Amino acid sequence: MTSNTPENPYGQPAPQAPYAQPAPYGQQPYGAPAEDPGKTLGIVGLVLCFVFSLAGLIVSIIAKKKSTAAGFKNTPANVGVILGWIFTILGLIVAVIYIIAIVALLNNPGLVSN
């Protein structure tokens, strides 16, 4: 295709730009670097561990599996899994103690004074 412009008065084709240098090995030539697909989910799971430990544990496990499948290391998800297990176990221990205390009080009304 020819164009008659002040820079190209004779209608000859414009010269093409030279080819770009190829990227060295180990570097991505185009676009932004790949992002961890479980990064945001790992942060959500970590925060959720402090409010609802079992839900935080589940979300953190899902985030960790997504990151591992994509080849990333997801530190917030790892911490969320650890804290999720700790808080879930502590919650279960507290619930058992609470149930034992209620059953003991109901079976021995003399322990409660009016």
Side-chain angles (χ1 to χ4, degrees), residues 9-97:
Y10 302 110
Q12 296 176 353
Q16 293 187 356
Y19 290 104
Q21 292 274 339
Y25 290 105
Q27 291 183 353
Q28 295 180 346
Y30 304 108
E35 188 172 325
D36 183 0
K39 181 179 178 183
T40 304
L41 200 57
I43 295 170
V44 169
L46 177 62
V47 171
L48 202 55
C49 281
F50 292 101
V51 183
F52 300 108
S53 59
L54 187 58
L57 173 64
I58 293 168
V59 170
S60 294
I61 289 172
I62 293 169
K64 185 176 178 181
K65 285 189 177 196
K66 279 187 173 185
S67 295
T68 304
F72 289 96
K73 183 179 177 188
N74 193 342
T75 304
N78 290 337
V79 173
V81 170
I82 294 168
L83 289 178
W85 277 115
I86 291 171
F87 291 153
T88 300
I89 291 170
L90 287 176
L92 289 174
I93 291 171
V94 168
V96 168
I97 292 172

